[in-house]
Amino acid sequence: MPDSFLQFVLRDTEWDPFRKIREHIIGMTPEPVRKIVGWILLIFGAVALLRLYPGFLFFGLTDLMFMITLSVGISSIALGRMFLRH
């Protein structure tokens, strides 16, 4: 019984719903280009997030522009890290 429970717990920890999506995106780019694309996405996301705060504070970005810029910045950083790790 403990052996089967341990296998059950380990099987659940290895489950990753986004693994196929990540492998498909990474598989579309050739290996020499991955590091360059990763750094570009990481820098773009950092710049977008650094421009977000003063833009919202001093220039009156609307709520929609704030949410779009925030989501683009965070997703760009996440994709950049994904490309750099593989």
Side-chain angles (χ1 to χ4, degrees):
M1 179 74 174
D3 203 24
S4 63
F5 179 72
L6 180 63
Q7 290 173 354
F8 175 74
V9 171
L10 289 177
R11 184 183 68 213
D12 282 347
T13 58
E14 293 174 1
W15 181 72
D16 187 10
F18 300 109
R19 181 178 12 190
K20 289 182 182 179
I21 297 170
R22 273 186 287 175
E23 289 176 1
H24 181 70
I25 291 172
I26 290 174
M28 289 185 344
T29 58
E31 285 187 35
V33 179
R34 286 183 195 159
K35 191 166 273 206
I36 297 168
V37 170
W39 278 110
I40 288 171
L41 285 170
L42 201 64
I43 291 170
F44 179 74
V47 168
L49 289 179
L50 286 174
R51 297 279 298 173
L52 176 70
Y53 181 69
F56 187 70
L57 193 62
F58 298 118
F59 302 114
L61 287 177
T62 62
D63 290 337
L64 180 63
M65 287 189 68
F66 177 80
M67 292 304 293
I68 290 172
T69 308
L70 183 68
S71 63
V72 166
I74 289 175
S75 63
S76 176
I77 288 175
L79 280 172
R81 284 190 63 218
M82 181 178 69
F83 278 114
L84 286 175
R85 289 182 73 197
H86 288 278

